Amino acid sequence: MSRNEQDLGTRQQHHYFFKNGTMDFYAGWLLGYSQLGALAPGALYHCLNQVADGDPASWVRAFEQGLRFQQAQAREAEAAGAPSRASHAHFAAATAARAALNFCPPGEAATEAMADDLERSFQAGLRTGGFAVTPWDIPFGQAHLPAYVSRDVERAQTVVVVVGGGDTHREDLWYFGGRAALEAGYGVLLCDLPGQGRTPSRGLHFGEPTVEALRVALLALRARGFGGRVVLVGWSGGGLFTAKYVERFGEEISAWVASTPISDMARLFEEAMPAMMRGRLSRGWARAMLGAAARLSPVLDASLRKYEWQFGADVGAMVERFRVMGRVDLARLDVPLLALVGTSEAAEGQRQAREVFEAVRARQPASRLVEFGPESGADAHCQVNNLPLAFDHLFAWLSTLGLGPAARA
Amino acid sequence: MSRNEQDLGTRQQHHYFFKNGTMDFYAGWLLGYSQLGALAPGALYHCLNQVADGDPASWVRAFEQGLRFQQAQAREAEAAGAPSRASHAHFAAATAARAALNFCPPGEAATEAMADDLERSFQAGLRTGGFAVTPWDIPFGQAHLPAYVSRDVERAQTVVVVVGGGDTHREDLWYFGGRAALEAGYGVLLCDLPGQGRTPSRGLHFGEPTVEALRVALLALRARGFGGRVVLVGWSGGGLFTAKYVERFGEEISAWVASTPISDMARLFEEAMPAMMRGRLSRGWARAMLGAAARLSPVLDASLRKYEWQFGADVGAMVERFRVMGRVDLARLDVPLLALVGTSEAAEGQRQAREVFEAVRARQPASRLVEFGPESGADAHCQVNNLPLAFDHLFAWLSTLGLGPAARA
């Protein structure tokens, strides 16, 4: 595999820092956040400079040190009565914790403590920065869905609901459009669904419940008194979850944005597996071969452990889980779609995005597909290295649909 | 010299992309701008990925391609009636042109055309982005000083005047506090002084005229009808120019910010020269030895040519020029000072900053010195990799002095 290829199949065109593809993708992703008020490039590279290429434990140590430093800076700034500096430091601390979580062994006490740090620092950043957004635990069976919601969401005319994928916490959704939408004047709902964020520690895993939970979250929003329009924005795996939602409850949704829209996750997952997995090996064989590969690559090993924790199942069962969820019935998708497609996405992902887009456009001619090439810097998975360009397209498109951030009632 | 040491003496703690220290510093600087609405990280790294380490010509080609791409994007966005996207693309184009200029051979027609592109794209970014800032040519002898000024500057209560150094165009001053001050509610004046930006092509060079020109620019601001308070903010060599100004006309200045304050540029310059220059060689010998080094390092060669063009003199004469300007008389500095000091600055620069600070604080106890260590990400020369942190300190300090951005008359 080349240095620019992801261990788990997500390619990227550019080289940022590491030879290890997964680490390099994470480095680029964090760099993308630096545009949006997270860890500054200098502070980020201070951490990256402490990481041994391909060594997940050194990554965790480096970002934990960054977290402790930023926490101390935030305390100092609060004591000095400097709220802007405090807010920046809190958000930087949250980003360092979030980065560490990429390679923390899932389910361990130290990892849960790191997730506590992520939440505390992020929420302190919101508070000291004066953002009108609050945490919200949405009841879901015996558990709850951890969310953030804009304070006066009931009075919003339009709410942007950001849905993440296989590697997001609700705090990530702030950078994937939450903050931009809030500042543009929209209401926002940022919600962890089963399998995302910390939910696997509470017995929630990826699969059918992920889509059911999105239904529960949107009903909870209505129950709060929100009577306006809903825009669904799905990133990565969120491109499947929002597609499934639009398939079933499209009449409730005014616009759908996805990077990228996904119709068949089982197939995408199989194509994204390392080459040796692409044949239909038995689950036992697949696991054995992945296990051998993981012994050679601690990064791959850490990534697999995390996926297994999120699914509550081994790798073979993941594909099976999506096969049970089934393909999205394209004939039932009838909501205006903005499809965002980076040219460095896996070929199968690009193919599905175009297929979904063509199907939707036939019924909804206001639909658009925007392709991002390497020069744009937005060609990576989910446009992580130029999210503002994605947002420019998103908000301009919503305006053409009459879904601009109208004055509140 | 280690990979983390600048060819011309500016060290930095962190490694961003290149083994060549000067290129790596520029890469980090451009990455710092990405936080402030310039070229996005993905688009920047697309260019950096085309650069051969240590080869200035490949750098120029890569960023010229980036420029052409962003210009086309901006045209497309304007045609589509998407002003936010157009503004972002124009600023990205300007940043690509500015990056190319780091290694363009000075004085050549193609380089002048690149500087035209920088100005046109930047000004289009201001226009499409709705920023209330306009170009202003300030008469200066037979030439003029190219500046930007906030549109209603006459009505501002406080104007932040940003002064650059040996490697800035007025467009850089937008990122070095111009935009942040404008958005905080201050008036702004961003002015190229002799030796800076394109002024060497018009016969203006670094030296005594640089300080005289700052006087002319501030008198021109008064002549426009501005009657409020002036805050001087000097970066890099601007730490000397503003010190010289405060020494002579301190009674006109309400607050002085410098990263870093400099009292003796001749000494700083000598210390920053490559080791072989540190002995007092004759100018002829020095030039011969630098020439030999430059043949081995095209990056050093390009940097030296640019400095010589800016000074209108060879390297030996540069030091002499500053020796003639003389040391700053610390006893005459009597304006509240905020000294910003990165721990990766050259040792002599840090020493002078502390010396100036101690002298000023004796008379102006509201003065502060803020030191930035490597974890902060702001330790580099001029805090280029975490400018928002510098701004947080700057604006909070101005508020404690009663120099907050008061409502306009």
Side-chain angles (χ1 to χ4, degrees), chain B residues 374-387:
Chain B
E375 304 92 337
S376 72
D379 60 309
H381 186 54
C382 296
Q383 287 70 63
V384 289
N385 274 86
N386 196 355
L387 281 163

Side-chain angles (χ1 to χ4, degrees), chain B residues 9-361:
Chain B
T10 313
R11 297 170 308 141
Q12 66 180 5
Q13 193 77 28
H14 304 135
H15 173 54
Y16 293 95
F17 197 73
F18 296 108
K19 289 196 166 60
N20 179 278
T22 300
M23 277 195 173
D24 205 50
F25 177 75
Y26 282 139
W29 182 352
L30 289 163
L31 212 43
Y33 278 6
S34 76
Q35 278 182 288
L36 303 163
L39 207 53
L44 170 61
Y45 270 88
H46 179 73
C47 296
L48 298 179
N49 274 271
Q50 323 297 320
V51 176
D53 205 344
D55 175 5
S58 71
W59 174 287
V60 173
R61 277 194 304 274
F63 281 101
E64 178 157 13
Q65 281 173 18
L67 164 67
R68 300 303 163 216
F69 174 80
Q70 296 292 347
Q71 284 175 327
Q73 292 292 102
R75 279 193 299 272
E76 197 266 315
E78 288 208 39
S84 172
R85 180 155 59 91
S87 178
H88 288 151
H90 282 305
F91 280 123
T95 307
R98 176 63 190 83
L101 285 169
N102 282 332
F103 290 117
C104 285
E108 295 188 4
T111 303
E112 290 294 315
M114 185 65 78
D116 288 340
D117 275 320
L118 163 59
E119 293 184 348
R120 262 197 305 263
S121 290
F122 182 83
Q123 291 169 20
L126 290 178
R127 177 176 47 76
T128 49
F131 292 101
V133 171
T134 51
W136 183 21
D137 287 344
I138 302 174
F140 181 67
Q142 301 304 305
H144 70 267
L145 307 170
Y148 294 109
V149 66
S150 48
R151 201 167 286 147
D152 296 329
V153 74
E154 306 80 37
R155 294 197 281 143
Q157 300 228 343
T158 304
V159 166
V160 172
V161 179
V162 186
V163 179
D167 202 6
T168 53
H169 288 246
R170 58 179 166 160
E171 288 79 14
D172 289 296
L173 309 181
W174 178 248
Y175 299 104
F176 277 106
R179 177 175 178 170
L182 186 81
E183 291 182 339
Y186 292 95
V188 297
L189 174 62
L190 318 173
C191 184
D192 275 341
L193 303 174
Q196 297 177 327
R198 313 181 67 170
T199 63
S201 292
R202 290 142 191 179
L204 302 180
H205 298 103
F206 281 126
E208 188 58 43
T210 308
V211 182
E212 289 162 14
L214 184 52
R215 175 77 179 145
V216 167
L218 287 180
L219 289 175
L221 188 65
R222 295 297 183 193
R224 273 178 86 119
F226 170 67
R229 298 161 303 188
V230 170
V231 175
L232 275 187
V233 180
W235 300 94
S236 190
L240 173 73
F241 308 137
T242 54
K244 282 280 180 191
Y245 198 91
V246 167
E247 180 188 33
R248 297 178 202 175
F249 308 106
E251 65 282 2
E252 301 170 4
I253 305 300
S254 298
W256 173 33
V257 180
S259 174
T260 57
I262 295 171
S263 59
D264 186 350
M265 184 63 104
R267 184 165 167 191
L268 191 62
F269 221 86
E270 285 175 326
E271 301 274 344
M273 288 278 104
M276 60 175 184
M277 286 284 292
R278 287 190 191 133
R280 298 291 178 95
L281 296 173
S282 74
R283 279 173 51 184
W285 263 106
R287 183 64 210 147
M289 295 194 71
L290 270 175
R295 275 191 292 279
L296 294 174
S297 165
V299 167
L300 178 59
D301 188 49
S303 300
L304 286 174
R305 278 173 200 273
K306 197 165 152 200
Y307 281 117
E308 292 185 342
W309 173 72
Q310 292 178 305
F311 278 82
D314 72 22
V315 159
M318 294 179 203
V319 180
E320 197 54 36
R321 187 82 49 89
F322 285 121
R323 213 171 270 136
V324 169
M325 285 178 76
R327 299 190 64 233
V328 174
D329 182 357
L330 301 186
R332 295 177 54 86
L333 300 178
D334 194 14
V335 169
L337 167 66
L338 174 65
L340 305 173
V341 184
T343 59
S344 297
E345 294 280 0
E348 173 61 16
Q350 296 190 49
R351 190 196 66 74
Q352 290 189 22
R354 287 193 174 75
E355 189 180 59
V356 173
F357 169 70
E358 293 299 340
V360 175
R361 183 171 61 168

Side-chain angles (χ1 to χ4, degrees), chain A residues 14 42 45-46 84 88 385 392, chain B residues 14 42 45-46 84 88 385 392:
Chain A
H14 304 134
Y45 270 88
H46 179 74
S84 171
H88 288 150
N385 275 89
D392 277 337
Chain B
H14 304 135
Y45 270 88
H46 179 73
S84 172
H88 288 151
N385 274 86
D392 277 337

